[in-house]
Amino acid sequence: MNYQTVIGLEIHAELLTNSKVFCSCSAEFGGEENTRVCPRCSGMPGTLPLFNRGAAELAVKAGLALNCKINNFSAFDRKNYFYPDLPKAYQITQFFNPICEGGYVDIGSKKIRINRIHIEEDAGKLIHDEKRKISLADYNRCGVPLIEIVTEPDIRSAEEAKDFTAAVCLALKYAGVCDAKMEQGSLRCDVNISIMPEGSTVFGTRTEIKNLNSLRSIGRAIEYEYSRQKSLLERGERVIQQTLHWNDATGVTTALRSKEEAHDYRYFPEPDIPPMLITDKEIEKIAKTMPEMPTERKKRYLEMGLNDADASLLIADKPLADFYEETVKHYNNPKSVASMIIVELLRRMNDSSVSAEELKIPPCHLAQLCKMADEGTVSRGAAKDILKEMFDLGGTPMEIAEKGGMLMSNDTSAVESAADEILAANPKAVEEFKAGSAKVFGFLMGQMCRALGKSANPTIIKKVLEEKLNS
């Protein structure tokens, strides 16, 4: 029997505030264990939470970026459960009245609906020491503000799940809501998955895979869990509703606990935080601060003359797209600049694992190099060598070109002299060309370029060589 996968995602994204959501401790990533903790975020008796209003503004931005309705009224609730990384034994969240509802993300093939976005506090982190067979708790992350983005069960494949998550990451980065560094845990994904016979409208029993921290892990975990559930059903067994852990090393899911329902958490309104009221005027004010989003930027790039593939590649990395924008401001040739970045610069960045923020090349210098190559001040080959030195060591393109003797010369006398020598040294190639073999021309061009060096103008070389061969 063929089965259809039904998937819903819960994406937890930490908000880019300086301090935690209910206290003044730093929300910065890392730090020595348990050094960014105070009585409030460690759940000491008698302490009261003080809400960070900046978290609400970022949550509104997230809702606007993901096409949600922003609720004028929202409130906090207590989610009660015990786990060693949650010192209060409850989590402050929004259950009954979330801040955002009813959004969607267009992934190209379809729109994935968003049920809600709510604000909550993050838990701490458990560090498992396999050697000593113990687990240690680090509460630095405890109380860091995050939003949880909950989808409707609209996703039908691992690819759709990855595309949705990637689109959400990009939107949150552009909006300045979250850095979406999955490897650091600032964005994590829980996958709810069930399967049902193709053609059925009745969903199967779902399982939840917790804390996936890469697009690759999301895809692999979904594919494995689909196969596991399918095998159970084909053997006549049933799928048990439970929470699962994904082991990226072994590529399998293992049970953590039976899946809780809402009543198991005994939600009730948070007594120490008043409801949050956001007026339409405040929402409009925040909306005016929203930057250009990825879809809008891509549309503009297409209007500038870029093709779809190049525009998509640039917007996928916001810092790189920002670098491109600044470069075009200095040299208004969008296609030429995009080609230099995508063909040459990106290759060096990928080979060296260097991000756009770490580049030694200022946009004005890359703009100058593109202009020099377009105007024939340096050859295309020399431009690649200049870019390499700029990437590794810095410096301006003109200085590097002058120092390396790469500025192109338009002196035809040197070219003609070299052509006479090359043709005299290769009589067989000359005969083949005159006999109609056009491919030998490339060989002779290569000989000329090697003899004259990087300062020679290929256009002049080609012209002189053609004249002498056809004379």
Side-chain angles (χ1 to χ4, degrees):
M1 181 182 293
N2 293 324
Y3 290 90
Q4 175 66 67
T5 314
V6 179
I7 300 165
L9 300 181
E10 298 169 12
I11 295 177
H12 301 80
E14 291 185 349
L15 302 175
L16 289 173
T17 57
N18 292 324
S19 57
K20 293 184 179 182
V21 65
F22 299 121
C23 69
S24 59
C25 290
S26 171
E28 186 180 356
F29 173 76
E32 187 179 346
E33 289 84 354
N34 296 309
T35 56
R36 295 173 181 169
V37 183
C38 73
R40 275 199 180 103
C41 56
S42 60
M44 294 296 180
T47 59
L48 293 173
L50 183 64
F51 181 59
N52 182 345
R53 186 76 179 183
E57 183 173 330
L58 290 176
V60 170
K61 284 187 173 184
L64 294 171
L66 300 175
N67 307 296
C68 292
K69 173 184 178 291
I70 313 301
N71 291 323
N72 299 114
F73 176 91
S74 61
F76 288 96
D77 308 287
R78 286 191 184 181
K79 179 181 180 180
N80 296 274
Y81 68 95
F82 175 76
Y83 204 64
D85 62 2
L86 194 69
K88 294 196 295 284
Y90 64 84
Q91 180 186 36
I92 300 176
T93 183
Q94 294 182 317
F95 180 70
F96 298 107
N97 297 283
I99 192 167
C100 308
E101 292 179 293
Y104 68 87
V105 170
D106 191 338
I107 62 170
S109 58
K110 64 192 292 188
K111 287 183 179 180
I112 306 297
R113 293 174 299 158
I114 293 172
N115 175 281
R116 58 191 275 142
I117 299 176
H118 59 263
I119 303 171
E120 62 185 25
E121 59 180 336
D122 208 345
K125 180 181 178 181
L126 292 180
I127 301 167
H128 304 289
D129 188 331
E130 296 295 337
K131 190 173 182 180
R132 292 191 288 167
K133 302 297 182 185
I134 60 172
S135 294
L136 304 173
D138 176 12
Y139 294 125
N140 280 351
R141 198 173 69 186
C142 194
V144 169
L146 57 79
I147 51 172
E148 183 173 340
I149 302 162
V150 182
T151 77
E152 299 289 357
D154 291 349
I155 300 168
R156 294 293 178 267
S157 69
E159 284 305 312
E160 287 185 2
K162 291 193 292 182
D163 288 346
F164 176 84
T165 306
V168 168
C169 287
L170 198 59
L172 297 182
K173 285 180 183 178
Y174 270 75
V177 170
C178 175
D179 60 23
K181 293 179 179 177
M182 298 185 79
E183 71 281 0
Q184 292 184 0
S186 62
L187 189 138
R188 309 183 296 277
C189 184
D190 298 344
V191 174
N192 290 281
I193 176 172
S194 65
I195 64 173
M196 61 183 180
E198 282 191 354
S200 174
T201 57
V202 180
F203 293 169
T205 302
R206 65 187 171 93
T207 58
E208 181 181 27
I209 311 170
K210 298 290 288 185
N211 291 327
L212 298 168
N213 62 359
S214 73
L215 296 180
R216 181 173 179 269
S217 294
I218 290 169
R220 291 178 67 213
I222 288 172
E223 288 169 358
Y224 174 82
E225 186 59 15
Y226 168 82
S227 297
R228 188 187 74 85
Q229 292 188 20
K230 182 180 178 182
S231 295
L232 286 172
L233 296 178
E234 288 179 343
R235 293 197 303 267
E237 300 177 37
R238 64 187 184 91
V239 176
I240 300 171
Q241 185 171 336
Q242 57 188 347
T243 300
L244 305 171
H245 167 72
W246 168 253
N247 188 317
D248 211 37
T250 61
V252 300
T253 56
T254 52
L256 287 173
R257 56 187 179 271
S258 60
K259 175 64 181 165
E260 298 91 343
E261 299 291 355
H263 62 264
D264 294 320
Y265 291 120
R266 294 179 294 112
Y267 285 100
F268 65 84
E270 168 56 58
D272 296 326
I273 305 175
M276 185 163 54
L277 303 176
I278 303 176
T279 66
D280 290 338
K281 189 175 181 179
E282 287 176 310
I283 295 170
E284 286 177 23
K285 185 178 178 181
I286 294 171
K288 288 178 181 177
T289 69
M290 289 289 287
E292 183 182 46
M293 297 305 289
T295 51
E296 297 163 349
R297 183 173 281 196
K298 181 179 178 181
K299 181 181 177 183
R300 183 163 57 82
Y301 285 0
L302 294 174
E303 291 170 351
M304 289 161 60
L306 272 61
N307 61 43
D308 188 85
D310 288 352
S312 298
L313 189 60
L314 285 171
I315 68 161
D317 182 345
K318 184 178 184 298
L320 185 67
D322 292 341
F323 180 86
Y324 168 74
E325 298 261 335
E326 287 299 314
T327 307
V328 171
K329 286 179 184 177
H330 291 281
Y331 178 49
N332 189 20
N333 191 330
K335 293 177 74 173
S336 176
V337 172
S339 177
M340 183 67 78
I341 289 175
I342 292 169
V343 177
E344 296 300 331
L345 184 60
L346 257 182
R347 176 170 58 83
R348 299 200 179 279
M349 290 170 62
N350 292 334
D351 290 345
S352 306
S353 298
V354 170
S355 67
E357 299 100 318
E358 298 168 323
L359 284 173
K360 296 177 183 177
I361 306 173
C364 60
H365 288 177
L366 188 72
Q368 184 184 5
L369 179 62
C370 292
K371 187 176 182 181
M372 288 168 65
D374 289 345
E375 294 179 349
T377 307
V378 296
S379 68
R380 295 289 174 184
K384 295 179 183 180
D385 294 335
I386 293 168
L387 180 65
K388 181 181 185 304
E389 185 163 338
M390 290 167 63
F391 183 87
D392 293 336
L393 304 172
T396 70
M398 185 58 76
E399 289 171 347
I400 296 167
E402 289 174 343
K403 180 182 67 176
M406 290 183 266
L407 292 175
M408 283 205 294
S409 170
N410 293 324
D411 179 16
T412 58
S413 59
V415 177
E416 288 179 354
S417 176
D420 290 337
E421 291 179 12
I422 296 296
L423 295 179
N426 295 277
K428 186 177 179 182
V430 174
E431 287 177 15
E432 289 178 7
F433 178 82
K434 291 184 181 293
S437 176
K439 68 178 182 180
V440 78
F441 186 81
F443 164 75
L444 293 170
M445 273 289 292
Q447 295 293 307
M448 290 281 289
C449 290
R450 273 191 288 275
L452 290 164
K454 295 173 183 176
S455 63
N457 189 324
T459 304
I460 293 176
I461 294 174
K462 183 174 182 289
K463 182 182 177 183
V464 169
L465 195 57
E466 285 176 340
E467 288 175 352
K468 289 191 175 290
L469 284 167
N470 291 318
S471 62

